[in-house]
PDB file of all heavy atoms in Angstrom:
ATOM      1  N   MET J 124      19.347 -19.629   3.705  1.00 96.00           N
ATOM      2  CA  MET J 124      19.707 -18.357   3.076  1.00 96.00           C
ATOM      3  C   MET J 124      18.491 -17.548   2.612  1.00 96.00           C
ATOM      4  O   MET J 124      18.589 -16.341   2.438  1.00 96.00           O
ATOM      5  CB  MET J 124      20.643 -18.597   1.888  1.00 96.00           C
ATOM      6  CG  MET J 124      21.952 -19.280   2.248  1.00 96.00           C
ATOM      7  SD  MET J 124      23.110 -18.243   3.121  1.00 96.00           S
ATOM      8  CE  MET J 124      23.843 -17.381   1.767  1.00 96.00           C
ATOM      9  N   ASP J 125      17.340 -18.191   2.438  1.00 96.00           N
ATOM     10  CA  ASP J 125      16.139 -17.468   2.026  1.00 96.00           C
ATOM     11  C   ASP J 125      15.458 -16.762   3.198  1.00 96.00           C
ATOM     12  O   ASP J 125      14.559 -15.945   2.989  1.00 96.00           O
ATOM     13  CB  ASP J 125      15.160 -18.403   1.321  1.00 96.00           C
ATOM     14  CG  ASP J 125      14.717 -19.564   2.194  1.00 96.00           C
ATOM     15  OD1 ASP J 125      15.478 -19.968   3.104  1.00 96.00           O
ATOM     16  OD2 ASP J 125      13.607 -20.086   1.959  1.00 96.00           O
ATOM     17  N   GLN J 126      15.899 -17.049   4.435  1.00 97.00           N
ATOM     18  CA  GLN J 126      15.297 -16.431   5.613  1.00 97.00           C
ATOM     19  C   GLN J 126      16.308 -15.704   6.497  1.00 97.00           C
ATOM     20  O   GLN J 126      15.943 -14.759   7.190  1.00 97.00           O
ATOM     21  CB  GLN J 126      14.604 -17.499   6.482  1.00 97.00           C
ATOM     22  CG  GLN J 126      13.402 -18.134   5.838  1.00 97.00           C
ATOM     23  CD  GLN J 126      12.903 -19.285   6.683  1.00 97.00           C
ATOM     24  OE1 GLN J 126      13.485 -20.354   6.695  1.00 97.00           O
ATOM     25  NE2 GLN J 126      11.829 -19.029   7.407  1.00 97.00           N
ATOM     26  N   VAL J 127      17.529 -16.181   6.504  1.00 97.00           N
ATOM     27  CA  VAL J 127      18.525 -15.701   7.461  1.00 97.00           C
ATOM     28  C   VAL J 127      19.705 -15.082   6.720  1.00 97.00           C
ATOM     29  O   VAL J 127      20.243 -15.675   5.791  1.00 97.00           O
ATOM     30  CB  VAL J 127      19.018 -16.858   8.360  1.00 97.00           C
ATOM     31  CG1 VAL J 127      20.117 -16.393   9.301  1.00 97.00           C
ATOM     32  CG2 VAL J 127      17.849 -17.450   9.150  1.00 97.00           C
ATOM     33  N   ILE J 128      20.075 -13.878   7.138  1.00 96.00           N
ATOM     34  CA  ILE J 128      21.282 -13.257   6.610  1.00 96.00           C
ATOM     35  C   ILE J 128      22.331 -13.294   7.716  1.00 96.00           C
ATOM     36  O   ILE J 128      22.037 -13.040   8.879  1.00 96.00           O
ATOM     37  CB  ILE J 128      21.040 -11.815   6.100  1.00 96.00           C
ATOM     38  CG1 ILE J 128      22.302 -11.307   5.412  1.00 96.00           C
ATOM     39  CG2 ILE J 128      20.592 -10.893   7.218  1.00 96.00           C
ATOM     40  CD1 ILE J 128      22.099 -10.051   4.601  1.00 96.00           C
ATOM     41  N   SER J 129      23.540 -13.655   7.321  1.00 98.00           N
ATOM     42  CA  SER J 129      24.640 -13.742   8.276  1.00 98.00           C
ATOM     43  C   SER J 129      25.896 -13.252   7.578  1.00 98.00           C
ATOM     44  O   SER J 129      26.168 -13.620   6.441  1.00 98.00           O
ATOM     45  CB  SER J 129      24.803 -15.174   8.779  1.00 98.00           C
ATOM     46  OG  SER J 129      24.746 -16.116   7.728  1.00 98.00           O
ATOM     47  N   PHE J 130      26.617 -12.377   8.270  1.00 98.00           N
ATOM     48  CA  PHE J 130      27.840 -11.846   7.685  1.00 98.00           C
ATOM     49  C   PHE J 130      28.809 -11.432   8.789  1.00 98.00           C
ATOM     50  O   PHE J 130      28.449 -11.351   9.960  1.00 98.00           O
ATOM     51  CB  PHE J 130      27.546 -10.682   6.734  1.00 98.00           C
ATOM     52  CG  PHE J 130      26.830  -9.502   7.351  1.00 98.00           C
ATOM     53  CD1 PHE J 130      27.545  -8.415   7.838  1.00 98.00           C
ATOM     54  CD2 PHE J 130      25.449  -9.469   7.414  1.00 98.00           C
ATOM     55  CE1 PHE J 130      26.888  -7.325   8.383  1.00 98.00           C
ATOM     56  CE2 PHE J 130      24.787  -8.381   7.959  1.00 98.00           C
ATOM     57  CZ  PHE J 130      25.502  -7.300   8.448  1.00 98.00           C
ATOM     58  N   VAL J 131      30.042 -11.224   8.360  1.00 98.00           N
ATOM     59  CA  VAL J 131      31.099 -10.811   9.274  1.00 98.00           C
ATOM     60  C   VAL J 131      31.750  -9.562   8.705  1.00 98.00           C
ATOM     61  O   VAL J 131      31.813  -9.378   7.491  1.00 98.00           O
ATOM     62  CB  VAL J 131      32.145 -11.946   9.471  1.00 98.00           C
ATOM     63  CG1 VAL J 131      32.786 -12.346   8.151  1.00 98.00           C
ATOM     64  CG2 VAL J 131      33.213 -11.552  10.483  1.00 98.00           C
ATOM     65  N   ARG J 132      32.193  -8.696   9.597  1.00 97.00           N
ATOM     66  CA  ARG J 132      32.993  -7.540   9.210  1.00 97.00           C
ATOM     67  C   ARG J 132      34.222  -7.537  10.120  1.00 97.00           C
ATOM     68  O   ARG J 132      34.108  -7.756  11.328  1.00 97.00           O
ATOM     69  CB  ARG J 132      32.207  -6.245   9.366  1.00 97.00           C
ATOM     70  CG  ARG J 132      31.025  -6.166   8.389  1.00 97.00           C
ATOM     71  CD  ARG J 132      30.306  -4.857   8.436  1.00 97.00           C
ATOM     72  NE  ARG J 132      31.186  -3.768   8.012  1.00 97.00           N
ATOM     73  CZ  ARG J 132      30.885  -2.478   8.191  1.00 97.00           C
ATOM     74  NH1 ARG J 132      29.763  -2.119   8.785  1.00 97.00           N
ATOM     75  NH2 ARG J 132      31.728  -1.530   7.778  1.00 97.00           N
ATOM     76  N   GLU J 133      35.391  -7.294   9.520  1.00 97.00           N
ATOM     77  CA  GLU J 133      36.640  -7.360  10.276  1.00 97.00           C
ATOM     78  C   GLU J 133      37.584  -6.266   9.808  1.00 97.00           C
ATOM     79  O   GLU J 133      37.694  -6.001   8.610  1.00 97.00           O
ATOM     80  CB  GLU J 133      37.278  -8.733  10.065  1.00 97.00           C
ATOM     81  CG  GLU J 133      38.534  -8.962  10.856  1.00 97.00           C
ATOM     82  CD  GLU J 133      39.052 -10.391  10.729  1.00 97.00           C
ATOM     83  OE1 GLU J 133      38.567 -11.144   9.861  1.00 97.00           O
ATOM     84  OE2 GLU J 133      39.953 -10.738  11.506  1.00 97.00           O
ATOM     85  N   LYS J 134      38.282  -5.650  10.765  1.00 96.00           N
ATOM     86  CA  LYS J 134      39.260  -4.615  10.426  1.00 96.00           C
ATOM     87  C   LYS J 134      40.247  -4.482  11.576  1.00 96.00           C
ATOM     88  O   LYS J 134      39.859  -4.303  12.731  1.00 96.00           O
ATOM     89  CB  LYS J 134      38.550  -3.274  10.179  1.00 96.00           C
ATOM     90  CG  LYS J 134      39.447  -2.155   9.702  1.00 96.00           C
ATOM     91  CD  LYS J 134      39.807  -2.317   8.238  1.00 96.00           C
ATOM     92  CE  LYS J 134      40.524  -1.093   7.721  1.00 96.00           C
ATOM     93  NZ  LYS J 134      40.454  -0.951   6.293  1.00 96.00           N
ATOM     94  N   ASN J 135      41.534  -4.578  11.264  1.00 95.00           N
ATOM     95  CA  ASN J 135      42.623  -4.364  12.229  1.00 95.00           C
ATOM     96  C   ASN J 135      42.439  -5.140  13.525  1.00 95.00           C
ATOM     97  O   ASN J 135      42.668  -4.634  14.617  1.00 95.00           O
ATOM     98  CB  ASN J 135      42.782  -2.873  12.535  1.00 95.00           C
ATOM     99  CG  ASN J 135      43.212  -2.081  11.313  1.00 95.00           C
ATOM    100  OD1 ASN J 135      43.862  -2.617  10.418  1.00 95.00           O
ATOM    101  ND2 ASN J 135      42.827  -0.826  11.264  1.00 95.00           N
ATOM    102  N   GLY J 136      42.006  -6.393  13.412  1.00 94.00           N
ATOM    103  CA  GLY J 136      41.825  -7.244  14.581  1.00 94.00           C
ATOM    104  C   GLY J 136      40.484  -7.107  15.265  1.00 94.00           C
ATOM    105  O   GLY J 136      40.156  -7.898  16.152  1.00 94.00           O
ATOM    106  N   ASP J 137      39.692  -6.111  14.908  1.00 97.00           N
ATOM    107  CA  ASP J 137      38.329  -5.980  15.428  1.00 97.00           C
ATOM    108  C   ASP J 137      37.399  -6.789  14.518  1.00 97.00           C
ATOM    109  O   ASP J 137      37.573  -6.799  13.296  1.00 97.00           O
ATOM    110  CB  ASP J 137      37.866  -4.529  15.432  1.00 97.00           C
ATOM    111  CG  ASP J 137      38.540  -3.695  16.506  1.00 97.00           C
ATOM    112  OD1 ASP J 137      39.347  -4.247  17.286  1.00 97.00           O
ATOM    113  OD2 ASP J 137      38.258  -2.495  16.573  1.00 97.00           O
TER     114      ASP J 137
END
Side-chain angles (χ1 to χ4, degrees):
M124 300 287 278
D125 59 333
Q126 293 173 284
V127 176
I128 187 167
S129 45
F130 59 94
V131 59
R132 294 185 64 193
E133 183 174 12
K134 185 76 171 202
N135 296 332
D137 287 358

